[in-house]
């Protein structure tokens, strides 16, 4: 006989803890009690500012008001990431959340471009992408278009600490109990090995049936107590440190993240309403901490507002993200560097997965295995997408980039690259977070031009293709001139 799950305990009040609390309470409602334990003395990792479009689904499900959310979290709009110096120094491309052009008769748009010679070096692909056009022009407004050709998917940059605070208020209103205190001891059932309670420094004991470990990199329950183990991916993703520093805001905020490659890592620049978030992700085998700090500070374009903060990490994932009655969510579950801003999404996705598989009647092996299988695939798909950015490059100006070019890559990624190289075919694996348009932009942007196009592109004459391209370009250009600037949009929303 299994024990029904009536009480969920969340350990940790960072972004992972409070997203888990808010979403679990919203999705599972009255059926369970939730208690969150956090220690202000320990604090949170305090970085993590760029997101991807599914965050809108999270906010919508929670019923958050967008204007209030933007105001409370000092958020700005993100339409894309601009990758600078990744293919070669001096070169840049965008990975936008949109899609260029329009697929016709089951034929992906880029095959048409290839047929008329527009996909070669410095491809014109992005000229047909509204996200790109608005990112470059610094424009934004929500477009409620019926025609998907002028859809403009977006996400946010925000202060993750403020977002956690915002969700704390929300969760407590919904009935989540918050307990302040430092966990000093974890009690396990001697028969099953399940966690029974958390003992706090002040003597309190917090009991539960299911525990979400949101305790950050250390994984207090999943690793320190249950010794679950970690699959290390640093042979492919060699960066293992980040130095973060906030700086003064720009006069104008750009609606995109900048990712600027250096000789052994890359720098993020994220514009918020009140400041910029900056950081350098780097490989400690290639830079010393002092070198990395100097590179970051000398490449800031506004004045730093605090001392640089060093964060160590190991890229990879827990062998099991659900072990016994503990589910690791957030940094405790694994870490993939923030190159494509996926960590906060992984929190959201873990909680939604848990809600789908929630063991109301008790934990069973099949549910745990299913959860772990899905989490593994999700992490691996993102891992492959990140490796693509490093491996496909023409840079050979440093040992780091030469190592990246020459490394063996996972077979799953090799297969995708080879197929695309031959004739531009793109295959999105089931449930892959990244759409074909994302794979296309990064493959092209990093320098792979397919040798041929798909024969489906022969279903139109060359003249017909050119006329269609001109029409699409006009349709995409038209809204840009009429839209307000990104700053005007944010200012108006925040007044609401
Ligand atoms: P933490 O923030 O570390 O929180 C841990 C919590 O556990 C704290 O509340 C702490 O008090 C509590 N705790 C720990 N031990 C105890 C104890 N003994 N007793 C009581 N409480 C305890 N994600 C994105 O989506 N986009 C980004 O751009 C992005 N950039 C990042 C850049 C870097 C350099 C890093 C490292 C991460 C980035 N992330 C990003 C990831 C994002 O920051 C994290 O996913 C997110 O903040 C979740 O952190 P967490 O809540 O798991 O852990």
């Amino acid at each position: 006989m299994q024990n029904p799950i009536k009480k969920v305990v969340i350990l940790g009040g960072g972004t992972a803890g409070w997203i888990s609390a808010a979403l679990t309470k919203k999705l599972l409602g009255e059926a369970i009690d939730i208690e969150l334990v956090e220690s202000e003395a320990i604090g949170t990792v305090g970085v993590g500012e760029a997101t991807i479009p599914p965050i809108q689904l999270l906010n919508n499900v929670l019923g958050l008001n967008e204007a209030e959310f933007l105001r409370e979290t000092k958020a700005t709009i993100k339409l894309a990431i601009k990758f600078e110096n990744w293919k070669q120094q001096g070169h840049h491309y965008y990975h936008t959340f949109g899609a260029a052009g329009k697929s016709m008769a089951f034929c992906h748009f880029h095959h048409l471009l290839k047929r008329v010679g527009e996909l070669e070096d410095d491809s014109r692909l992005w000229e047909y992408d509204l996200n790109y056009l608005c990112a470059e022009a610094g424009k934004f407004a929500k477009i409620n278009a019926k025609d998907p050709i002028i859809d403009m998917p977006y996400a946010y940059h925000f202060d993750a600490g403020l977002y956690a605070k915002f969700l704390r208020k929300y969760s407590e209103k919904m009935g989540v109990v918050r307990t302040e205190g430092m966990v000093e001891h974890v009690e396990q059932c001697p028969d099953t090995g399940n966690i029974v309670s958390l003992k706090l420094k002040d003597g309190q004991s917090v009991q539960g049936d299911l525990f979400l470990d949101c305790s950050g990199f250390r994984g207090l329950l999943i690793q320190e107590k249950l010794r679950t183990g970690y699959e290390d991916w640093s042979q492919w993703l060699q960066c293992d440190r980040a130095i973060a520093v906030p700086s003064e805001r720009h006069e104008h905020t750009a609606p995109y993240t900048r990712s600027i490659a250096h000789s052994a890592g890359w720098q993020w620049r994220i514009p918020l309403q009140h400041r910029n978030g900056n950081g350098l992700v780097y490989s400690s085998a290639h830079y010393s901490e002092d070198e990395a700090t100097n590179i970051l500070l000398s490449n800031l374009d506004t004045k730093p507002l605090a001392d640089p903060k060093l964060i160590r990490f190991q890229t990879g994932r827990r062998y099991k993200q659900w072990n016994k009655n503990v589910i690791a969510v957030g940094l405790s579950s694994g870490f993939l560097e923030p190159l494509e801003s996926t960590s906060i999404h992984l929190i959201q996705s873990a909680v939604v997965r848990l809600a789908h598989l929630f063991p109301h009647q008790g934990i069973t092996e099949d549910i745990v295995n299913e959860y772990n299988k899905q989490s593994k695939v999700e992490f691996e798909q993102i891992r492959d997408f990140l490796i693509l950015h490093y491996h496909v490059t023409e840079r050979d100006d440093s040992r780091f980039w030469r190592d990246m070019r020459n490394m063996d890559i996972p077979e799953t990624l090799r297969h995708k690259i080879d197929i695309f190289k031959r004739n531009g075919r793109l295959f999105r694996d089931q449930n892959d977070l990244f759409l074909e348009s994302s794979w296309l932009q990064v493959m092209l942007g990093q320098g792979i031009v397919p040798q041929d196009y798909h024969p489906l592109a022969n279903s139109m004459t060359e003249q017909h293709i050119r006329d269609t391209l001109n029409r699409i370009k006009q349709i995409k250009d038209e809204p840009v001139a009429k839209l307000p600037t990104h700053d005007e949009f944010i200012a108006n929303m925040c007044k609401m």
Side-chain angles (χ1 to χ4, degrees), residues 43 134 275 305 363:
C134 284
R275 61 170 170 81
L305 294 172
I363 298 170

Side-chain angles (χ1 to χ4, degrees), residues 395-448:
R395 285 189 70 152
D396 65 355
D397 53 293
S398 67
R399 183 163 62 86
F400 177 81
W401 288 107
R402 287 190 291 276
D403 287 351
M404 294 295 107
R405 287 172 59 157
N406 295 328
M407 72 179 158
D408 285 332
I409 57 173
E411 204 36 53
T412 38
L413 175 60
R414 165 68 51 218
H415 176 67
K416 275 209 169 80
I417 294 176
D418 288 348
I419 290 181
F420 182 74
K421 255 187 199 162
R422 272 202 301 282
N423 58 12
R425 281 178 226 215
L426 288 164
F427 290 99
R428 177 174 171 246
D429 294 322
Q430 204 187 6
N431 298 327
D432 190 345
L433 175 61
F434 294 102
L435 304 176
E436 284 93 342
S437 58
S438 292
W439 284 93
L440 171 66
Q441 293 178 68
V442 176
M443 292 222 214
L444 269 182
Q446 293 285 144
I448 309 177

Side-chain angles (χ1 to χ4, degrees), residues 343-361:
S343 289
I344 292 173
H345 175 75
L346 283 168
I347 298 168
Q348 169 182 345
S349 153
V351 180
V352 172
R353 179 173 306 124
L354 173 61
H356 283 146
L357 293 169
F358 198 80
H360 290 280
Q361 305 312 322

Side-chain angles (χ1 to χ4, degrees), residues 249-262:
R249 62 157 278 156
H250 277 286
E251 192 187 345
H252 301 292
T253 47
Y256 57 85
T257 304
R258 286 177 68 192
S259 164
I260 307 153
H262 292 289

